[in-house]
């Protein structure tokens, strides 16, 4: 009996020894799938190829899936077709309202000058208060939706004082050009393009109103299962940001190829678009909660969202 027990103990130790590499192997994914848009920081990371250079030695592949906008990308995150994404301020709040189990990995520096309310050069509209009763084009539920609400409130108006015309950027650009809307609330690089080619006049940007971040997001499953891989991607975004901020001409060339917009337009946009990667803080979560509460108050979000529920356990 003693010999049998000893044999069982030895076998258990032997099995445990061989089981350890299997557990360790589970700490790294075989592949990371990233959602990106042609005009955001992940597009820059994709075209430079530096993430693949960092992950290939670990045996991790990178798969890129393009999306037309943030909401569709976060739906992909929710259903598990992608692991990581980068969007503006508003889409994560809408995704949480739809019960998406996402977390905030980090964010860019605030960039309030990269989104604005613009009007035609010869428009009689001179202040935000002049928008009362006017038709305003914007992308529904987007970051600029928050800018418009905040700007109207600052001017003593409510969201009901304007007629929102919900259009994606391409359709809004056409409507602005032909004069079927009185104003357009838009972000870069479309903002830089309409300044350059449609003689748009700045009415109000987000400076002093809303911070406007890019958020780096992950499915909770991915970030909690592979925290080291998630951190590596964030580190890569930090390195990329340092390069892009000091090589704006090269970054503009890459993004021009990605989007089909002129390099000069991207140069104009990048001059007011600081790249960066910072971990989440209570202050940024509080700002994001203000955004979510504002959308709930005006009826665009059907439920109250607790933004802090999307906090990463690594930040707690």
């Amino acid at each position: 009996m003693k010999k049998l027990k000893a044999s069982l103990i030895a076998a258990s130790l032997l099995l445990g020894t061989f089981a350890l590499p299997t557990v360790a192997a589970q700490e790294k994914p075989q592949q990371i799938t990233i959602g990106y848009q042609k005009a955001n920081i992940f597009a820059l990371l994709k075209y430079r190829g530096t993430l693949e250079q960092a992950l290939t030695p670990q045996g991790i592949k990178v798969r890129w899936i393009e999306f037309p906008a943030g909401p569709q990308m976060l739906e992909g995150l929710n259903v598990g077709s992608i692991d990581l994404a980068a969007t503006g301020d508003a889409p994560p709040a809408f995704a949480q309202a739809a019960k998406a189990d996402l977390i905030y990995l980090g964010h860019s520096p605030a960039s309030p000058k990269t989104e604005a309310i613009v009007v035609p050069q010869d428009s009689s509209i001179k202040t935000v208060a002049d928008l009362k009763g006017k038709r305003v084009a914007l992308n529904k539920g987007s970051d600029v939706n928050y800018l418009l609400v905040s700007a109207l409130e600052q001017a003593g108006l409510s969201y009901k004082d304007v007629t929102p015309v919900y259009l994606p950027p391409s359709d809004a650009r056409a409507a602005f050009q032909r004069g079927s809307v009185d104003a357009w609330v838009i972000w870069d690089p479309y903002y830089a393009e309409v300044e350059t080619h449609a003689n748009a006049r700045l009415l109000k940007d987000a400076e002093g109103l809303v911070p406007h971040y890019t958020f780096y997001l992950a499915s909770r499953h991915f970030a909690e299962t592979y925290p080291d891989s998630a951190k590596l991607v964030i580190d890569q975004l930090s390195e990329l940001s340092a390069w892009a901020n000091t090589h704006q001409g090269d970054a503009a060339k890459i993004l021009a190829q990605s989007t089909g917009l002129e390099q000069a337009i991207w140069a104009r946009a990048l001059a007011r678009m600081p790249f960066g990667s910072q971990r989440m803080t209570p202050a940024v979560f509080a700002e994001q909660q203000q955004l979510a509460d504002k959308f709930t108050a005006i009826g665009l979000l059907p439920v109250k969202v607790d933004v802090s529920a999307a906090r990463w356990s690594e930040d707690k």
Side-chain angles (χ1 to χ4, degrees):
M1 182 63 70
K2 288 182 179 180
K3 287 183 179 180
L4 177 60
K5 287 182 177 179
S7 297
L8 289 172
I9 291 171
S12 298
L13 290 173
L14 185 60
L15 287 171
T17 300
F18 284 107
L20 284 175
T22 303
V23 172
Q26 293 174 352
E27 295 174 358
K28 294 180 183 179
Q30 293 182 339
Q31 176 177 276
I32 299 176
T33 305
I34 301 175
Y36 76 101
Q37 299 174 73
K38 290 180 178 180
N40 76 6
I41 189 171
F42 271 132
L44 202 54
L45 189 63
K46 175 183 184 291
Y47 280 93
R48 289 207 77 212
T50 51
L51 182 61
E52 284 84 351
Q53 292 172 19
L55 290 173
T56 297
Q58 298 185 32
I60 301 174
K61 296 180 180 179
V62 182
R63 182 185 178 208
W64 300 92
I65 300 179
E66 183 187 330
F67 288 84
Q72 295 95 322
M73 188 156 47
L74 294 190
E75 176 60 25
L77 195 75
N78 189 33
V79 300
S81 61
I82 60 172
D83 303 309
L84 299 166
T87 75
D89 317 70
F94 281 84
Q96 280 190 271
K99 307 301 181 184
D101 197 14
L102 59 82
I103 62 169
Y104 290 83
L105 297 178
H107 64 90
S108 72
S111 55
K113 289 187 175 297
T114 64
E115 58 178 14
I117 305 170
V118 297
V119 296
Q121 187 65 40
D122 58 356
S123 172
S124 61
I125 298 171
K126 304 300 180 185
T127 68
V128 174
D130 295 335
L131 291 175
K132 186 173 183 178
K134 304 298 185 183
R135 292 169 57 83
V136 183
L138 71 154
N139 204 45
K140 186 176 182 179
S142 65
D143 310 338
V144 294
N145 208 155
Y146 185 42
L147 166 58
L148 178 60
V149 172
S150 301
L152 290 171
E153 289 187 352
Q154 187 186 63
L157 302 177
S158 76
Y159 199 54
K160 294 180 180 179
D161 287 318
V162 301
T163 301
V165 180
Y166 296 125
L167 296 170
S170 58
D171 293 338
R173 173 66 169 79
F176 183 84
Q177 184 74 50
R178 65 176 177 262
S180 58
V181 295
D182 301 294
W184 184 19
V185 199
I186 193 56
W187 62 90
D188 275 323
Y190 308 107
Y191 170 28
E193 190 280 330
V194 78
E195 282 183 306
T196 303
H197 294 307
N199 206 23
R201 171 165 53 85
L202 171 65
L203 186 68
K204 182 74 176 176
D205 63 25
E207 187 75 35
L209 281 174
V210 296
H212 187 46
Y213 299 107
T214 292
F215 286 107
Y216 310 129
L217 307 158
S219 70
R220 185 178 301 277
H221 171 76
F222 178 83
E224 301 294 4
T225 306
Y226 309 113
D228 289 343
S229 295
K231 289 175 186 175
L232 185 148
V233 174
I234 296 301
D235 289 344
Q236 285 294 307
L237 288 173
S238 293
E239 292 182 18
L240 172 70
S241 296
W243 173 84
N245 288 335
T246 55
H247 297 78
Q248 288 190 355
D250 294 329
K253 183 177 180 179
I254 292 172
L255 289 168
Q257 293 171 346
S258 173
T259 60
L261 292 172
E262 301 160 41
Q263 187 172 336
I265 289 172
W266 269 109
R268 186 170 191 161
L270 293 181
R272 57 192 174 210
M273 186 188 295
F275 288 106
S277 177
Q278 304 165 16
R279 295 292 285 271
M280 295 294 292
T281 64
V284 174
F285 270 114
E287 289 174 323
Q288 191 69 348
Q289 187 64 56
Q290 289 176 2
L291 175 150
D293 291 344
K294 186 68 66 178
F295 278 135
T296 302
I298 65 174
L300 287 180
L301 274 181
V303 296
K304 182 174 175 59
V305 169
D306 178 11
V307 174
S308 66
R311 190 186 306 271
W312 193 11
S313 62
E314 297 287 318
D315 291 328
K316 293 178 181 178

